[in-house]
Amino acid sequence: MRETEILIVLVLVVGVLATTSFPANVTYDHRALVIDGQRKLLISGSIHYPRSTPDMWPDLIQKSKDGGLDVIETYVFWNLHEPARNQYDFEGRNDLVKFVKLVAEAGLYVHLRIGPYVCAEWNYGGFPLWLHFVSGIKFRTDNEPFKAEMKRFTAKIVDMMKQENLYASQGGPIILSQIENEYGNIDSAYGPAGKTYIKWAATMATSLDTGVPWVMCQQADAPDPLINTCNGFYCDQFTPNSDKKPKMWTENWTGWFLAFGGAVPYRPVEDIAFAVARFFQRGGTFQNYYMYHGGTNFDRTSGGPFISTSYDYDAPIDEYGLLRQPKWGHLKDVHKAIKLCEEAMLATDPTITSLGSNLEAGVYKTGSGLCSAFLANFGTQSDATVNFSGNSYRLPAWSVSILPDCKNVVLNTAKINSMTTIPRFSTLSLKDGISSEAFPDDWSWVNEPVGISSNSAFNKLGLLEQINTTADISDYLWYSLSTDITGDEPFLQGGSQTVLHVESLGHAIYGFINGKLAGSGKGSYNNPKVTIEVPVTLIPGKNRIDLLSLTVGLQNYGAFYDLSGAGITGPVQLKGSKNNSTIDLSSKQWTYQVGLKGEALGLPKGSSSLWLSQSNLPKQQPLIWYKAWARVKHG
Ligand code: GAL
């Protein structure tokens, strides 16, 4: 009886501690972020809330905490939250407040990278498409309509966070915020207006009065008081633009993103661990893994062109929320080793000395007798033995040893003690008890007509750029034309084969003649443009040319990326294979249809009565929607 009472009292105390919070004052000095007067050594990791489901969030956050993270970083995705101007969505996967609160409940801090340009392999870099149609707008430069919209959205997010008391200054978890993103990589293309824009962005952000510092990443001229931070695979050589600002690393790429058709990226954990230890050896105090959990690009959120739906990123937590070992475990060990050095590291600056060719010591030593050291071999070819403080240490190539007491090595970044797991994927049949040979029986289908099927189709002279035409409400745009063939056309003469030639800015094309597929082509991540040149058979009289143009994720990076365009901008020609005769159809009157019929009907989710199921799937039909249900096995 007494034992039960004691237990209840303890549970209550824990409950109170978990929910009580005190406003914290967050500032910085040349060594670190300073929270309530204390410098902090912070390990952070990126988890983008809409790249997983809300029921995954608590587990992802807990695994991050178990891995030794202090901070969770996320971007804020404008086009998710404001799909139409002044219409907001913060539900489900978009529930930013819930995500931030869950991080707080786990006792971790938040770095909120508002952007609102985010890059992130996210459709259109996070900008809503309607922004492109605001009169007189020019993105990411000193342009009044753009600045007004950017300020409105940034203020909206800041106000939301304030209303929920989520800034550290209010007792919440947010200790840091970011404005813009890597503008310094491309600002020269914007000329002097780029410089004034960055000054404006810094002033605008500061005026929002969050009570916590703002950063700009990859922005060497970030105006005070904003901190310029480093992004990259290695940031040990980075120095901030003022000796009053701390050395911070906002993106340590744990792998890379996957583009359709590209190799699946892989970054060895030994290399990440080396890069992290080098950063802390040389004075860093804040480091963020981009990504710690990459996740999935759901719906049409993938950036582009050709960013895959998986955003796994070879991150320490894989796309499905499982620990990737030994990556997660080894980095956890690295964090522990670095934290053993925390007191000395935060008390003083490192003294960097050479121990020989490609060999370097970084020593944090205080007058009061604290001493922690990092010994690095940044040679890639050979191991080395170094003498340090009267002892000798063996350093494998491309590795750092961590000595929290300047004597005993607790970890070398190239030596992994964490377990390795090799995931095995098993093929499941779609229904329990049905073998995978029966797989096709589980599919149902709906036919998609070739060419124009909607009465909202419209005619226009000439070829239209796609994104301006669809406003990205669909990936698909039909270009359709009926052309008369008399048989006397020069390109048909002399036994010539007729060839259809189509040029597009991207990203893929299907060409149909009289309802039959004639050919297709696609671009790639590095070259989105596509040209098809295919033999076709024309008949005397009317011939219908239907060109289906597809976008595969809108571009998210680069100067003026928002204007790169897509779709069939021409020329579109019929040519003779044996003679040089060509007719150009580019400036004819084309009929346009935005989107597919199936999309208008709400497929694949909606209109269940349209779905046909039969054991023989249709053949000889160019465009079909297919649907199947997969059974997910838990445990
Ligand atoms: C950075 C950018 C991130 C992401 C990353 C590549 O340059 O800031 O948003 O795009 O590259 O994954």
Side-chain angles (χ1 to χ4, degrees):
M1 181 65 193
R2 253 196 92 63
E3 270 176 16
T4 321
E5 278 167 20
I6 290 170
L7 192 71
I8 290 168
V9 172
L10 282 178
V11 169
L12 283 177
V13 170
V14 171
V16 170
L17 285 180
T19 51
T20 311
S21 54
F22 303 97
N25 181 24
V26 187
T27 55
Y28 61 82
D29 66 12
H30 83 285
R31 282 296 295 131
L33 287 181
V34 176
I35 303 184
D36 275 341
Q38 294 209 316
R39 287 178 180 164
K40 294 279 176 187
L41 193 159
L42 296 168
I43 313 277
S44 171
S46 296
I47 300 177
H48 297 156
Y49 52 97
R51 283 177 156 147
S52 51
T53 56
D55 57 343
M56 290 168 77
W57 293 344
D59 183 56
L60 294 175
I61 294 164
Q62 188 58 45
K63 284 173 171 155
S64 307
K65 184 175 184 176
D66 295 345
L69 298 198
D70 309 295
V71 184
I72 302 290
E73 178 274 340
T74 183
Y75 282 128
V76 177
F77 299 88
W78 189 355
N79 51 14
L80 272 192
H81 295 308
E82 200 180 353
R85 194 161 182 272
N86 284 321
Q87 285 174 27
Y88 294 100
D89 181 353
F90 290 96
E91 300 294 315
R93 274 199 308 271
N94 303 357
D95 195 342
L96 171 62
V97 166
K98 179 172 179 179
F99 181 76
V100 172
K101 285 185 175 170
L102 285 170
V103 177
E105 271 170 36
L108 301 183
Y109 294 123
V110 170
H111 176 199
L112 196 66
R113 300 215 284 168
I114 301 179
Y117 166 71
V118 296
C119 192
E121 291 69 69
W122 193 263
N123 197 45
Y124 215 41
F127 285 143
L129 220 284
W130 57 257
L131 196 65
H132 171 70
F133 296 102
V134 169
S135 167
I137 204 159
K138 287 192 176 122
F139 286 9
R140 301 180 78 199
T141 189
D142 192 359
N143 166 273
E144 294 308 323
F146 177 76
K147 289 190 298 183
E149 292 297 335
M150 172 167 165
K151 180 173 179 181
R152 190 177 56 78
F153 181 73
T154 308
K156 161 98 188 166
I157 295 298
V158 167
D159 285 349
M160 235 176 128
M161 299 298 115
K162 280 187 186 169
Q163 266 168 31
E164 301 281 345
N165 292 323
L166 292 175
Y167 282 102
S169 49
Q170 305 171 293
I174 305 172
I175 53 165
L176 203 62
S177 261
Q178 178 178 298
I179 195 78
E180 250 296 339
N181 190 79
E182 294 195 335
Y183 190 67
N185 288 357
I186 46 110
D187 61 359
S188 57
Y190 294 81
K195 299 278 172 211
T196 45
Y197 163 62
I198 273 307
K199 287 200 184 103
W200 167 84
T203 310
M204 184 274 284
T206 312
S207 76
L208 297 176
D209 216 10
T210 59
V212 303
W214 287 91
V215 302
M216 280 184 173
C217 60
Q218 295 288 92
Q219 191 71 48
D221 59 354
D224 297 344
L226 277 75
I227 308 166
N228 64 309
T229 64
C230 183
N231 291 350
F233 288 108
Y234 308 98
C235 278
D236 49 281
Q237 304 297 323
F238 170 79
T239 43
N241 64 12
S242 146
D243 58 10
K244 295 187 175 53
K245 297 179 186 176
K247 174 167 170 168
M248 296 175 67
W249 189 359
T250 34
E251 289 183 28
N252 177 1
W253 300 316
T254 50
W256 198 242
F257 59 81
L258 175 65
F260 284 122
V264 175
Y266 167 66
R267 185 178 182 199
V269 68
E270 293 90 330
D271 183 52
I272 304 175
F274 169 81
V276 171
R278 286 285 282 158
F279 180 72
F280 285 104
Q281 173 181 31
R282 297 180 63 93
T285 49
F286 179 103
Q287 188 269 155
N288 176 71
Y289 296 106
Y290 187 100
M291 301 296 295
Y292 198 71
H293 169 257
T296 305
N297 294 316
F298 291 103
D299 299 329
R300 298 177 57 244
T301 58
S302 289
F306 294 102
I307 301 294
S308 68
T309 41
S310 170
Y311 201 63
D312 178 87
Y313 222 89
D314 197 28
I317 303 176
D318 75 10
E319 176 169 10
Y320 313 105
L322 304 173
L323 301 185
R324 172 167 281 122
Q325 296 285 35
K327 203 169 235 187
W328 180 88
H330 188 48
L331 293 176
K332 174 182 173 137
D333 292 344
V334 171
H335 305 151
K336 264 197 222 152
I338 291 171
K339 286 288 169 99
L340 290 172
C341 308
E342 185 173 12
E343 220 185 323
M345 286 175 70
L346 293 177
T348 185
D349 294 314
T351 305
I352 308 290
T353 48
S354 172
L355 301 173
S357 165
N358 295 332
L359 299 165
E360 194 174 87
V363 181
Y364 295 89
K365 189 170 185 166
T366 69
S368 59
L370 288 172
C371 187
S372 294
F374 293 73
L375 307 181
N377 177 358
F378 52 89
T380 54
Q381 300 305 313
S382 38
D383 301 353
T385 301
V386 296
N387 287 313
F388 172 71
S389 273
N391 294 310
S392 97
Y393 299 89
R394 186 83 183 145
L395 298 176
W398 205 247
S399 80
V400 180
S401 281
I402 302 177
L403 294 68
D405 59 356
C406 278
K407 204 168 162 195
N408 295 294
V409 175
V410 297
L411 180 131
N412 176 277
T413 56
K415 296 181 188 166
I416 297 177
N417 290 315
S418 173
M419 66 171 178
T420 297
T421 50
I422 298 166
R424 195 170 52 88
F425 291 89
S426 48
T427 312
L428 290 175
S429 60
L430 285 184
K431 275 187 192 155
D432 284 343
I434 294 182
S435 72
S436 53
E437 287 83 58
F439 194 71
D441 289 350
D442 293 276
W443 290 92
S444 47
W445 57 277
V446 177
N447 183 33
E448 174 69 34
V450 169
I452 307 299
S453 61
S454 154
N455 47 21
S456 59
F458 59 92
N459 297 326
K460 264 268 154 40
L461 275 184
L463 294 164
L464 296 179
E465 190 280 323
Q466 183 157 348
I467 300 168
N468 279 293
T469 311
T470 62
D472 199 34
I473 63 160
S474 167
D475 283 320
Y476 301 96
L477 179 62
W478 281 109
Y479 296 68
S480 183
L481 181 74
S482 190
T483 188
D484 277 318
I485 296 294
T486 60
D488 299 333
E489 285 77 4
F491 62 82
L492 292 172
Q493 308 312 314
S496 236
Q497 164 71 53
T498 309
V499 167
L500 172 70
H501 175 98
V502 182
E503 287 184 39
S504 159
L505 293 176
H507 306 144
I509 318 172
Y510 289 88
F512 301 87
I513 299 287
N514 298 322
K516 295 228 157 45
L517 183 65
S520 64
K522 61 181 167 43
S524 64
Y525 174 71
N526 289 318
N527 182 12
K529 291 192 176 165
V530 39
T531 298
I532 58 172
E533 195 158 275
V534 288
V536 293
T537 306
L538 300 175
I539 51 167
K542 287 217 175 305
N543 286 262
R544 215 177 80 212
I545 302 176
D546 294 304
L547 305 174
L548 180 60
S549 175
L550 283 74
T551 49
V552 189
L554 299 194
Q555 196 165 325
N556 58 268
Y557 182 71
F560 307 107
Y561 76 86
D562 51 302
L563 303 175
S564 54
I568 299 166
T569 48
V572 175
Q573 296 165 333
L574 290 171
K575 295 177 173 180
S577 62
K578 292 205 179 134
N579 50 42
N580 278 334
S581 176
T582 294
I583 59 164
D584 198 309
L585 306 172
S586 310
S587 52
K588 296 252 186 224
Q589 169 152 298
W590 290 80
T591 306
Y592 292 90
Q593 177 181 310
V594 174
L596 301 178
K597 182 172 184 196
E599 289 178 294
L601 293 170
L603 302 183
K605 289 174 194 152
S607 308
S608 55
S609 59
L610 296 173
W611 290 100
L612 304 173
S613 295
Q614 61 186 57
S615 45
N616 293 325
L617 290 169
K619 293 200 173 93
Q620 311 279 319
Q621 225 150 258
L623 296 172
I624 299 177
W625 293 80
Y626 290 103
K627 184 170 78 172
W629 289 98
R631 203 170 282 275
V632 179
K633 203 165 117 190
H634 291 283

